[in-house]
Amino acid sequence: MTGEFIRKNAVRVVLLGPQRMAPILDQAFSLLDVEGNVAVITAGWQEREAEDQELTNALGRPGINLKLYARSDEVFRDDPELFEANRVKQDFLKQLQELYRRRLTHAMAAARQMQRLAHSDSVASGEVVVPHLSRAIAMVRQLDDEHAAQVEARIGQFHTEWKPSERPAVARQRAEIQAILDQCEAVAIAGGHVVALLNRMRLFGLQATLAQLPIVAWSAGAMVLTERIILFHDSPPQGRGDAEVLGNGLGLIPGLVALPNARRRLLLDDRQRIALFARRVAPAHCVALDERCWLHYTSGQAWRAGPTTRQLTESGQCVVIEAV
Amino acid sequence: MRRAIDDLLDRAPVTAGDVDGFLRDHSFPLVEGNQVTFAFRGEADAVRLRHFIYGLPTAQPFHRVHDTDFWYFILDLPQGSRVEYKFELQRGDHVEWIRDPFNPLLARDPFGANSVCQGVGYERPSWTQPQDDVRPGTLDHLILNDTPFGDMRRVTVYLPARFRDTRLYRLLVVHDGGDYLTYAALKTVLDNLIHDFEVAPLIVALTHPGDRLVEYPDNQAHSAFLAEHLLPLMEKKYPLIQSPAARGLMGASFGAVASLAAAWRYPGTFGCLLLQSGSFAFTDIGQHSRGPAFDPVVEFVNAFRQSPGKPAERVFLSCGTYESLIYENRSIVPLLQQTGMNVRYVEARDGHNWENWRDRLRVALSWLFPGPLWMVYE
C-alpha cells in the first residue's frame, strides 16, 4: 500500500549532513522551491525535541514543530496497553539486534580474513582466495538480509495485532499532525537518535504523508528515509566497529545508504574497510553526508549532489559523486 | 640501528661547535625507534636519569662525551611507552633534580611537574584536549556540613552539557576529584566523550579528601560518607537513576582502594567500579615493606582477598606496566573475576601518574557507562 503510494507520487528530497556548525538548510529548501511553512520533526532529539529555536532560525522560513516525541509520550500515557505492547516489541528487537551482532562478529571476521589474504602474498593464490572472499561477503549480506527481515516481521506483527492507527490515542494525534501538515509546504527532519525518530514516524504513519511533500532531512533524518538503515562507526571505544543493519527505513529513497558524518565516523582512508562496506550493501550506493554536503533526489530522476558529496566505492575509495 | 648521536661520538675530538650543531639539529629526548637519547649540557660531576619505571634502576648514569660539557644517556623504550622523568645533577656533595632543559613537554601533578618522554607510537589522545565544537558541561558545588568525618566537606558536581532535570542520569563518584580535574583533564574528557556519544551523559560527584592516607584505606567513616551521606544528597538534589547499576565509584592509587573498600562495605550500592593503579598491597605471609601508610591497606586487601563477596557488578581496572603496583593489580584480577563480577583489565606502558589515568578514561568510561554512539547521528 505504502510502496504503491510512493511510486505514484514524485518524492522530492534533499539529504544533508550535520547542520549544527555549518547549516545549509535554507539553501536546501530553496533548491526545492519551498518558501512557505515547514513542518519540523525533531523527535530524534528525544526530550530536547522542543528546543528548536536555532533550527527554526536556520530554516529561513516559518517552522512548525510536529512534536512527535511529546505526542508519543502522550499516546503511551493515554493507552497503557499499546505502551506495553510497544515495550515488548522493543525488548524483542533489542534481543534480536544483540544476537545478530554476535553472529555478525564472526561473519565479518571471516570476510576480513579473506580480504587480508586476497591482498597479501600468502600461499593461497588470488584465484583461490577471491571466490572465498566473495562467499564470505555473501554470507554477511545473507545475515544482514535475514536480520532485516526478522526485524520487519516483528514490527509488522505489532502493527497487525495492535493497529496503532486505529487506536483513539494515536488517531487523535494523527489528526492533529495532519492538520499541521496541511498548513505546510515542506518537511524538515532533523537528526538525532535514529530509533527514537523512526519509531515515532512509524507510529504516526508518516511515511505515506511525507511522500507528498518536499523534504529536507539530515543525519539520522536522512537515514530513516532510506530503504535500509545501517548503524556504523569504524573506531568505537568498544568492539571492532562492524557496521550493523538496524532494519528497514521508510523507503522513500531507494538504492541509497545514508552515512552521516562519515568523515568522523568512518576510516575513509582504509581501503579495505571501505571496499567491504560498499560490497556488503551493493547495489545500494553508500553516500557520505558530511557538513555542507547535499544530495537532491526526485523519484524517477538521477540524483544531483553537491560538489563535496562523496560515495564509497567497491574499490575502497571515497569519491565525489558525479551522477549516479 | 645507527643513532644520530653515533655521528657525534665518532668524531675526535668533539668541539663545542659540534655539540652546538647536534643540539640545534635535533629535539630531545630524541626518539629513534625503540631507543631514546636524553641529552644534557653543563658542568657536573655526574648526571643521572631519574625516571619512574619500575624494573629499571631508578637512577641511570649519563655518559660524558669526551672532554666536553655534553652528556647523554640512551634508554631502550618499547613502543607506545610514556615516561615521566627528571635529571639528577651531582656537583660535589650537592645533588639536584631538574626537569629536562631541552624538553618542553611536562606533566603536572600535586607535587610539581616532570618532563615527559613519549616513546614511538605514543600520541596524546585527541579526546583529552578541548575541542571547539564540543558542548561543555558545567561544574556545580555542594557543601556537606554534617559528615562522619566531623567536619564540612565540599563536593564538586559535574553536570553534562544539555543537562535537564526531566531526565534521569547515572552517577559517578570520583575520589580526588580536584586532582582529576587539574591533572587528568577530567572535565575535558567528560565533555568530549559525552559529546561524541561514547559515554552516557553522567552526573559526576568529585570529592575532595581531608587526609587521604587516613580516609582512603578502608575507613568506615569514608565509606559511610559516600554511601550514607553523599549518595542520598545527590539523589535528592539531582535526577539520578536509583539503581546500583547506574552508580559508579572511581579512584586512582589509594583512591582505588577507597572505591573498592566502600563497595565492599556497602555491597549492592555501587554497581560499577573504575579502579586505576590501585594500591592493592597484600601479604601472603610475613610483613609488607611499603611503609606504615600501607598498614591499613594491607590489612584491608588481605581481608578482601580472604572474603571478597561481590561488591559490584562491573569492575574496570587499569595499571601501568612501569608501576611497582603492577604485580598487585595483576594479582587481584583473577580474584575479582572469581566473585562473578564482570571484570575488564587494561595495561599501558606508563607509570603511576595522572596522565596514565587520563589516557585510560575513554576505554574505562565507555565500558562502564556506554553512550548511544551507534544510535545517534546528529
Short mmCIF file of all heavy atoms in Angstrom, two decimals, chain A residues 276-306:
data_model
loop_
_atom_site.label_atom_id
_atom_site.label_comp_id
_atom_site.label_asym_id
_atom_site.label_seq_id
_atom_site.Cartn_x
_atom_site.Cartn_y
_atom_site.Cartn_z
N LEU A 276 34.86 -3.26 1.71
CA LEU A 276 33.99 -4.26 2.31
C LEU A 276 32.60 -3.68 2.59
O LEU A 276 31.58 -4.32 2.33
CB LEU A 276 34.63 -4.78 3.61
CG LEU A 276 33.92 -5.92 4.34
CD1 LEU A 276 33.67 -7.10 3.42
CD2 LEU A 276 34.74 -6.37 5.55
N PHE A 277 32.58 -2.45 3.07
CA PHE A 277 31.31 -1.78 3.35
C PHE A 277 30.50 -1.66 2.06
O PHE A 277 29.31 -2.02 2.00
CB PHE A 277 31.59 -0.38 3.94
CG PHE A 277 30.44 0.22 4.69
CD1 PHE A 277 30.58 0.65 6.01
CD2 PHE A 277 29.20 0.38 4.09
CE1 PHE A 277 29.52 1.20 6.72
CE2 PHE A 277 28.12 0.94 4.78
CZ PHE A 277 28.29 1.35 6.09
N ALA A 278 31.16 -1.16 1.01
CA ALA A 278 30.45 -0.91 -0.25
C ALA A 278 29.95 -2.22 -0.86
O ALA A 278 28.82 -2.29 -1.37
CB ALA A 278 31.37 -0.18 -1.22
N ARG A 279 30.78 -3.26 -0.81
CA ARG A 279 30.37 -4.55 -1.38
C ARG A 279 29.24 -5.17 -0.58
O ARG A 279 28.38 -5.87 -1.12
CB ARG A 279 31.56 -5.51 -1.43
CG ARG A 279 32.60 -5.12 -2.47
CD ARG A 279 33.70 -6.14 -2.56
NE ARG A 279 33.24 -7.43 -3.10
CZ ARG A 279 34.03 -8.46 -3.34
NH1 ARG A 279 35.33 -8.36 -3.08
NH2 ARG A 279 33.55 -9.59 -3.83
N ARG A 280 29.25 -4.92 0.70
CA ARG A 280 28.24 -5.51 1.58
C ARG A 280 26.84 -4.99 1.26
O ARG A 280 25.86 -5.72 1.41
CB ARG A 280 28.63 -5.17 3.02
CG ARG A 280 27.86 -5.90 4.07
CD ARG A 280 28.42 -5.54 5.44
NE ARG A 280 27.43 -5.76 6.46
CZ ARG A 280 27.54 -5.36 7.71
NH1 ARG A 280 28.63 -4.73 8.10
NH2 ARG A 280 26.59 -5.60 8.58
N VAL A 281 26.73 -3.74 0.87
CA VAL A 281 25.40 -3.16 0.66
C VAL A 281 25.06 -2.97 -0.81
O VAL A 281 23.96 -2.52 -1.14
CB VAL A 281 25.24 -1.81 1.41
CG1 VAL A 281 25.49 -1.99 2.89
CG2 VAL A 281 26.16 -0.76 0.83
N ALA A 282 25.99 -3.30 -1.72
CA ALA A 282 25.73 -3.14 -3.15
C ALA A 282 24.48 -3.94 -3.53
O ALA A 282 24.21 -4.99 -2.93
CB ALA A 282 26.94 -3.62 -3.94
N PRO A 283 23.68 -3.49 -4.49
CA PRO A 283 23.94 -2.36 -5.38
C PRO A 283 23.57 -1.00 -4.79
O PRO A 283 23.66 0.01 -5.50
CB PRO A 283 23.03 -2.69 -6.57
CG PRO A 283 21.87 -3.40 -5.96
CD PRO A 283 22.44 -4.20 -4.83
N ALA A 284 23.13 -0.97 -3.53
CA ALA A 284 22.85 0.35 -2.94
C ALA A 284 24.13 1.17 -2.90
O ALA A 284 25.23 0.62 -2.76
CB ALA A 284 22.29 0.17 -1.53
N HIS A 285 23.99 2.47 -3.05
CA HIS A 285 25.14 3.37 -3.02
C HIS A 285 25.33 3.93 -1.61
O HIS A 285 24.36 4.36 -0.99
CB HIS A 285 24.94 4.52 -4.00
CG HIS A 285 24.81 4.06 -5.41
ND1 HIS A 285 25.89 3.84 -6.23
CD2 HIS A 285 23.71 3.75 -6.14
CE1 HIS A 285 25.47 3.42 -7.41
NE2 HIS A 285 24.15 3.36 -7.38
N CYS A 286 26.56 3.92 -1.15
CA CYS A 286 26.87 4.44 0.19
C CYS A 286 27.25 5.91 0.06
O CYS A 286 28.33 6.23 -0.45
CB CYS A 286 28.05 3.71 0.81
SG CYS A 286 27.78 1.95 0.96
N VAL A 287 26.39 6.79 0.53
CA VAL A 287 26.65 8.22 0.36
C VAL A 287 27.12 8.83 1.67
O VAL A 287 26.43 8.73 2.70
CB VAL A 287 25.38 8.95 -0.14
CG1 VAL A 287 25.63 10.45 -0.23
CG2 VAL A 287 24.98 8.39 -1.50
N ALA A 288 28.29 9.44 1.63
CA ALA A 288 28.85 10.10 2.81
C ALA A 288 28.23 11.49 2.92
O ALA A 288 28.39 12.32 2.02
CB ALA A 288 30.37 10.21 2.67
N LEU A 289 27.52 11.73 4.01
CA LEU A 289 26.85 13.02 4.20
C LEU A 289 27.57 13.80 5.30
O LEU A 289 27.23 13.70 6.48
CB LEU A 289 25.39 12.81 4.56
CG LEU A 289 24.50 12.23 3.46
CD1 LEU A 289 23.14 11.81 4.02
CD2 LEU A 289 24.33 13.23 2.31
N ASP A 290 28.59 14.53 4.89
CA ASP A 290 29.32 15.35 5.86
C ASP A 290 28.78 16.78 5.82
O ASP A 290 27.89 17.10 5.05
CB ASP A 290 30.82 15.31 5.52
CG ASP A 290 31.43 13.96 5.88
OD1 ASP A 290 31.41 13.62 7.07
OD2 ASP A 290 31.87 13.24 4.96
N GLU A 291 29.35 17.63 6.65
CA GLU A 291 28.93 19.04 6.66
C GLU A 291 29.02 19.62 5.26
O GLU A 291 29.97 19.34 4.51
CB GLU A 291 29.84 19.85 7.59
CG GLU A 291 29.42 19.76 9.04
CD GLU A 291 30.27 20.63 9.93
OE1 GLU A 291 31.21 21.27 9.42
OE2 GLU A 291 30.01 20.65 11.14
N ARG A 292 28.06 20.44 4.91
CA ARG A 292 27.99 21.16 3.62
C ARG A 292 27.73 20.23 2.43
O ARG A 292 27.77 20.67 1.29
CB ARG A 292 29.26 21.99 3.36
CG ARG A 292 29.48 23.09 4.40
CD ARG A 292 30.65 23.99 4.01
NE ARG A 292 30.83 25.02 5.00
CZ ARG A 292 31.52 24.89 6.12
NH1 ARG A 292 32.09 23.73 6.39
NH2 ARG A 292 31.64 25.87 6.97
N CYS A 293 27.53 18.95 2.69
CA CYS A 293 27.21 18.03 1.59
C CYS A 293 25.71 18.01 1.38
O CYS A 293 24.94 18.16 2.33
CB CYS A 293 27.68 16.61 1.93
SG CYS A 293 29.46 16.46 2.03
N TRP A 294 25.30 17.79 0.15
CA TRP A 294 23.87 17.61 -0.10
C TRP A 294 23.66 16.67 -1.27
O TRP A 294 24.52 16.52 -2.14
CB TRP A 294 23.16 18.95 -0.35
CG TRP A 294 23.71 19.79 -1.47
CD1 TRP A 294 24.64 20.77 -1.36
CD2 TRP A 294 23.35 19.74 -2.86
NE1 TRP A 294 24.90 21.34 -2.58
CE2 TRP A 294 24.11 20.73 -3.53
CE3 TRP A 294 22.46 18.96 -3.60
CZ2 TRP A 294 24.01 20.94 -4.89
CZ3 TRP A 294 22.36 19.18 -4.97
CH2 TRP A 294 23.14 20.18 -5.59
N LEU A 295 22.49 16.07 -1.27
CA LEU A 295 22.12 15.17 -2.35
C LEU A 295 20.63 15.37 -2.62
O LEU A 295 19.80 15.29 -1.71
CB LEU A 295 22.39 13.72 -1.95
CG LEU A 295 22.16 12.72 -3.08
CD1 LEU A 295 23.31 11.74 -3.16
CD2 LEU A 295 20.86 11.97 -2.87
N HIS A 296 20.31 15.70 -3.86
CA HIS A 296 18.94 16.03 -4.24
C HIS A 296 18.37 14.84 -5.01
O HIS A 296 18.91 14.44 -6.03
CB HIS A 296 18.96 17.30 -5.12
CG HIS A 296 17.58 17.78 -5.48
ND1 HIS A 296 17.38 18.83 -6.32
CD2 HIS A 296 16.36 17.37 -5.10
CE1 HIS A 296 16.07 19.04 -6.45
NE2 HIS A 296 15.43 18.16 -5.72
N TYR A 297 17.26 14.33 -4.49
CA TYR A 297 16.64 13.16 -5.13
C TYR A 297 15.20 13.48 -5.51
O TYR A 297 14.42 13.99 -4.70
CB TYR A 297 16.66 11.97 -4.17
CG TYR A 297 15.79 10.82 -4.61
CD1 TYR A 297 16.19 9.97 -5.63
CD2 TYR A 297 14.54 10.60 -4.02
CE1 TYR A 297 15.39 8.92 -6.04
CE2 TYR A 297 13.74 9.54 -4.42
CZ TYR A 297 14.16 8.71 -5.43
OH TYR A 297 13.37 7.68 -5.85
N THR A 298 14.86 13.22 -6.74
CA THR A 298 13.47 13.26 -7.19
C THR A 298 13.19 11.90 -7.81
O THR A 298 13.97 11.43 -8.65
CB THR A 298 13.26 14.36 -8.25
OG1 THR A 298 13.67 15.61 -7.69
CG2 THR A 298 11.80 14.45 -8.67
N SER A 299 12.10 11.28 -7.38
CA SER A 299 11.87 9.92 -7.85
C SER A 299 11.79 9.88 -9.37
O SER A 299 11.21 10.76 -10.02
CB SER A 299 10.59 9.35 -7.23
OG SER A 299 9.52 10.25 -7.38
N GLY A 300 12.43 8.89 -9.93
CA GLY A 300 12.44 8.71 -11.38
C GLY A 300 13.54 9.48 -12.07
O GLY A 300 13.74 9.35 -13.28
N GLN A 301 14.28 10.28 -11.32
CA GLN A 301 15.37 11.05 -11.94
C GLN A 301 16.72 10.69 -11.30
O GLN A 301 16.76 10.12 -10.22
CB GLN A 301 15.13 12.55 -11.75
CG GLN A 301 13.88 13.05 -12.43
CD GLN A 301 13.68 14.54 -12.21
OE1 GLN A 301 14.61 15.26 -11.88
NE2 GLN A 301 12.44 14.98 -12.39
N ALA A 302 17.78 11.07 -12.01
CA ALA A 302 19.12 10.84 -11.45
C ALA A 302 19.34 11.78 -10.27
O ALA A 302 18.76 12.87 -10.22
CB ALA A 302 20.17 11.10 -12.52
N TRP A 303 20.16 11.35 -9.32
CA TRP A 303 20.47 12.22 -8.18
C TRP A 303 21.30 13.39 -8.67
O TRP A 303 22.04 13.29 -9.64
CB TRP A 303 21.30 11.48 -7.14
CG TRP A 303 20.69 10.23 -6.62
CD1 TRP A 303 19.39 9.84 -6.70
CD2 TRP A 303 21.38 9.20 -5.93
NE1 TRP A 303 19.21 8.64 -6.10
CE2 TRP A 303 20.42 8.21 -5.61
CE3 TRP A 303 22.70 9.00 -5.53
CZ2 TRP A 303 20.75 7.05 -4.93
CZ3 TRP A 303 23.03 7.85 -4.85
CH2 TRP A 303 22.05 6.89 -4.55
N ARG A 304 21.19 14.46 -7.90
CA ARG A 304 22.14 15.56 -8.06
C ARG A 304 22.81 15.74 -6.72
O ARG A 304 22.14 15.66 -5.68
CB ARG A 304 21.42 16.85 -8.45
CG ARG A 304 21.03 16.91 -9.92
CD ARG A 304 20.68 18.33 -10.32
NE ARG A 304 19.53 18.83 -9.61
CZ ARG A 304 19.43 20.08 -9.13
NH1 ARG A 304 20.43 20.93 -9.28
NH2 ARG A 304 18.33 20.47 -8.51
N ALA A 305 24.09 15.97 -6.76
CA ALA A 305 24.81 16.06 -5.48
C ALA A 305 25.68 17.30 -5.45
O ALA A 305 26.10 17.81 -6.50
CB ALA A 305 25.66 14.82 -5.28
N GLY A 306 25.93 17.79 -4.24
CA GLY A 306 26.82 18.92 -4.06
C GLY A 306 28.24 18.55 -4.45
O GLY A 306 28.59 17.36 -4.48
#
